[in-house]
Every structure is written in C-alpha cells, then in structure tokens.
Amino acid sequence: MTERKPRKDAARNKAAVFEAADELFARCESPEAVTMADIAAAAGVGKATLFRAFGDREGLIGALVEARLEPVREAVETGPPPLGPGTAPLLRVPALLDAILCFKYDNRHLAVALEGAGGNSPYRAGHYGGWHRTLRTLLEQIPGLGESDFTAHALLAATRADLVEHLAGALDTPRERLRAQLAAFTARVLGAGHPECAGEADGGSA
C-alpha cells in the first residue's frame, strides 16, 4: 500500500511534464529555446525530478515522442493491413511512410525538436533506426529493387521533420497534398523493381 502513492505521483508528474513540454515546443519559434528549466517550471516539478526521470533534454523529448508514437508502432506491429504485418511489401512500404509523414506533420514541433537534439542529426533520433530496419526488411522482399539499405534511407529522407516543417510551415502545403506527393514519389522508387508501379504513379501524380 505504501508504494502506490509514489507510483501515482510519478505517473502524474510524467503526464504533467509531457503536457508542458508539448505545449512549450508547440508555441516556441525555435525548439532550442525550450530548456529543461522551462519545462520543469511549466509542469510544476523540480528540475532535478526531470533529470532523474529522463536523464537530459534529449531523453525527455525522446520519451515524449515515443509516447505519442505508440499507436503508430502498435498498428505496424499488430494492426490490420495495409500497415500491419502480413501485408505485401509493395502495399506496406507506402503505408508505413504515410504513417510516419502523418505523425510528423501532426506533431512536427516535437519531431523537429527530437531530430534537432543531440548534434542536429535526425539519424541519431531514437525512432530512426527502427523505421529504417523495418523498411529495409520490407524492401529486401521486393525483387529487382536493388540496394535496400540505401533505398530505406532515401525514402525516410522524404519524411524528415525539418522538410515536413518547411513544406507545411514555410510553404503552407496542406497535409493531404504532402501525402499524395509522398505516395507518388514512393511509387516511383518502388517502380524500379516493378515498372507497372512507376506507370501508375505517372498517371496519378498530376
């Protein structure tokens, strides 16, 4: 019985920290401007509590993004087609990229903060390696496609948070327009192994 209160307090603090960080990153002009002290103050917790729970600023951002990503991850691991397992790679690859794009579009303030943390390299972001491995495995199952490792990197580059932020923010590109553009681009890449896919993309990209 005595252990329940600390657990409840920890869960309550974590929720408050996530809410505060989410709001601060959404309001700021530059993710780098948001500090651990800012988040602690907005959440009503001590800065030491933040460091104990998350290690550092990058760890906090990563934990928040992972929490927001959980529904997408569950859909990929156990969900129905076209995103879930058992789907043909030519259908699952575009669905996976679309899911990543939609997540970054809807949470781009967090995605930009995460991919800009730790040396300004999106390739060091916690989720990147997992998405790359999943894509590479699917691409390896497509005959005639070629180098799956590089192709996975190239496809994921089209969903980089800074690119999504530039297209959505600076250029005011609507979400559905970006989804259609990514789908057409992916179809062309996959069409390297299946020319009929490239033909369909050419006809549907106008």
Side-chain angles (χ1 to χ4, degrees):
M1 295 291 292
T2 57
E3 294 182 1
R4 289 183 180 177
K5 188 175 184 302
R7 289 176 184 168
K8 288 181 180 178
D9 287 346
R12 186 165 52 246
N13 286 344
K14 184 176 181 180
V17 167
F18 279 179
E19 183 178 354
D22 203 351
E23 184 176 348
L24 286 171
F25 282 117
R27 290 199 324 239
C28 73
E29 292 185 6
S30 171
E32 290 76 17
V34 179
T35 67
M36 291 286 269
D38 294 332
I39 296 170
V45 302
K47 193 163 66 169
T49 299
L50 235 57
F51 282 102
R52 280 197 303 270
F54 303 103
D56 56 18
R57 181 177 176 277
E58 185 178 354
L60 190 158
I61 298 170
L64 176 54
V65 170
E66 287 301 314
R68 298 286 187 267
L69 265 176
E70 189 58 32
V72 179
R73 202 180 304 282
E74 288 182 2
V76 172
E77 294 176 354
T78 62
L83 196 55
T87 308
L90 282 173
L91 296 176
R92 199 177 183 200
V93 168
L96 178 60
L97 291 166
D98 181 69
I100 295 172
L101 174 68
C102 288
F103 175 83
K104 291 189 178 181
Y105 191 100
D106 295 339
N107 300 274
R108 54 188 183 273
H109 57 291
L110 293 177
V112 168
L114 178 65
E115 293 185 8
N120 294 319
S121 173
Y123 309 108
R124 294 179 58 187
H127 59 81
Y128 186 86
W131 294 135
H132 180 266
R133 285 189 297 273
T134 300
L135 268 178
R136 183 186 62 204
T137 299
L138 291 171
L139 294 169
E140 287 171 349
Q141 301 171 39
I142 301 177
L145 187 60
E147 176 52 58
S148 59
D149 189 81
F150 174 80
T151 303
H153 283 301
L155 288 170
L156 284 172
T159 70
R160 277 183 52 145
D162 55 356
L163 174 61
V164 174
E165 171 61 25
H166 174 69
L167 294 173
L171 301 184
D172 199 25
T173 307
R175 186 177 189 265
E176 295 308 307
R177 178 62 176 161
L178 280 183
R179 294 179 69 191
Q181 290 171 335
L182 178 62
F185 170 70
T186 304
R188 289 190 180 93
V189 172
L190 299 184
H194 293 262
E196 67 275 11
C197 295
E200 291 173 6
D202 289 338
S205 59

